Amino acid sequence: ELNRQAIMKHFDFVMKHGNDVILLIDSDMNIVEANERAVATYGYPRQKFIGMNISDIRTPYEAPRLADHVRNLNETGSSYIETVHERSDGTTFPIEISAYTVEVEGKRFYQSIGRDITDRKQAEKALRESEFRYRTLVETTNDFVFIVDRQGLVTYVNPNFERVTGYALSELEGRPFTMVIAPEERKTITEKFKQGVKSPDSRPYEAKLIRKERSHVVVEFLTSNIYDDKDRVTGRFGVGRDITKRKEM
C-alpha cells in the first residue's frame, strides 16, 4: 500500500487552488483525495466521496466517454475536456477539466482540476438565442439592413436589400457601398459616411439607390457606428425604408 503521506505531500501543493474542484485519482479511476470545494460541489460526505469512481460522478451519457479521455490522457500526459458531472442529489452541471498524469512512489495517478462553467454556458446559450432572434428579425424584415466596415466596404446586406436592389451579398461584399448609390449623390453620401464615423449623427437621411437593372429606389436611412471592445469605430450599421412612393406623391 502506498504511503498516504507521500500522496498528501503531492496533493498539498495544489490545494491553494481553493475555488476549483481538485481531485487526485488512482489508476483504477477511484478518487483518493479531494479538496473541500470538491466535497461541497458534489454533496457527498467526505468519507463516501473518497473511494468513489470517477464514472460515478459523470452523467450516464458522459460516463462511457471516460475510457477515451483516460486513453488520451495516458498518451499525452495532459488533457483538457468539457463534460457534465452529477451531484449527489441528481442535479447536473457542466465542468471544464484540466487533467495531468503524476507519479507518486512509482505509481501513476491523475491530478484533475475542474471548474463549474454553468454561468458561462448559460451566457453562451443566451447569446445564441439573442443572435437567433436578431438574425431572424434582420432576415425577415421589409427594411433595408446593411453593414459596412470603416472604409465603407460592404460586409453584410439583408435579404430584402438583395431582393429590392437585385444585387446578391456575394456581389456587394468587399466592394464600396457607393456602387449602389446614384452617381449624382455619391459625393454627398460619402461625406455623410465619413462625418458619421468621426461624429455619430442619429438623424435620418435619404439616399437614392440604383438597382442592378438601373431603375432607382429612394430610401430613408438611420445609421450608427459599430465599436470594438476598445471603443474604436470598426464600421457602420444602417436600417432603411423604401420611401419611393412617398417622394413621388
Side-chain angles (χ1 to χ4, degrees):
E1 183 178 348
L2 290 175
N3 187 324
R4 185 172 180 79
Q5 287 185 345
I7 296 175
M8 290 305 299
K9 182 178 179 181
H10 167 78
F11 195 72
D12 282 346
F13 88 93
V14 294
M15 292 298 286
K16 60 183 180 181
H17 301 285
N19 289 327
D20 292 328
V21 170
I22 305 172
L23 303 174
L24 193 63
I25 305 160
D26 66 19
S27 58
D28 293 323
M29 304 311 295
N30 295 318
I31 299 168
V32 298
E33 193 51 82
N35 69 343
E36 291 307 313
R37 174 51 65 93
V39 174
T41 296
Y42 293 97
Y44 291 98
R46 171 174 285 278
Q47 62 270 28
K48 180 176 181 179
F49 192 58
I50 303 302
M52 288 180 62
N53 194 273
I54 286 297
S55 61
D56 294 332
I57 60 174
R58 285 196 171 197
T59 62
Y61 176 78
E62 290 289 331
R65 302 172 62 190
L66 179 60
D68 288 336
H69 293 158
V70 174
R71 185 179 307 110
N72 179 65
L73 181 56
N74 286 331
E75 291 174 354
T76 63
S78 64
S79 70
Y80 169 86
I81 62 169
E82 290 187 7
T83 185
V84 182
H85 280 187
E86 188 173 70
R87 302 181 183 92
S88 62
D89 63 2
T91 59
T92 63
F93 64 98
I95 185 170
E96 62 179 11
I97 297 173
S98 295
Y100 309 88
T101 58
V102 295
E103 296 291 328
V104 179
E105 293 189 345
K107 298 291 186 178
R108 173 170 288 187
F109 287 81
Y110 304 102
Q111 175 184 303
S112 169
I113 302 176
R115 181 165 296 177
D116 185 338
I117 54 173
T118 300
D119 290 345
R120 191 180 82 194
K121 289 297 185 181
Q122 289 177 342
E124 290 173 352
K125 180 182 178 183
L127 179 60
R128 287 194 301 271
E129 291 175 348
S130 176
E131 289 176 341
F132 174 77
R133 289 193 296 269
Y134 169 78
R135 185 169 60 251
T136 301
L137 175 63
V138 166
E139 293 184 354
T140 58
T141 182
N142 288 325
D143 289 338
F144 297 76
V145 179
F146 72 89
I147 300 175
V148 297
D149 65 16
R150 189 182 173 89
Q151 286 70 48
L153 303 179
V154 176
T155 61
Y156 174 78
V157 296
N158 73 332
N160 189 60
F161 197 109
E162 294 178 301
R163 181 182 62 79
V164 175
T165 65
Y167 289 101
L169 173 59
S170 59
E171 297 175 278
L172 297 173
E173 191 171 16
R175 304 187 67 179
F177 73 90
T178 51
M179 71 174 286
V180 295
I181 302 295
E184 66 271 20
E185 293 190 358
R186 285 175 185 169
K187 182 177 180 180
T188 300
I189 298 301
T190 298
E191 287 302 315
K192 285 183 178 293
F193 171 79
K194 292 179 178 179
Q195 186 58 38
V197 169
K198 295 178 182 178
S199 178
D201 185 350
S202 60
R203 291 176 297 180
Y205 66 90
E206 296 177 8
K208 185 186 293 184
L209 304 188
I210 301 299
R211 296 185 177 97
K212 192 173 184 178
E213 41 83 7
R214 310 318 295 169
S215 64
H216 73 269
V217 54
V218 182
V219 180
E220 183 178 72
F221 283 108
L222 282 172
T223 58
S224 61
N225 285 338
I226 301 171
Y227 298 90
D228 63 15
D229 56 4
K230 295 183 179 179
D231 209 30
R232 295 175 300 195
V233 177
T234 60
R236 303 214 82 197
F237 171 88
V239 179
R241 181 154 296 177
D242 185 348
I243 59 169
T244 304
K245 291 183 178 179
R246 190 176 83 193
K247 299 297 289 185
E248 291 174 348
M249 293 177 63

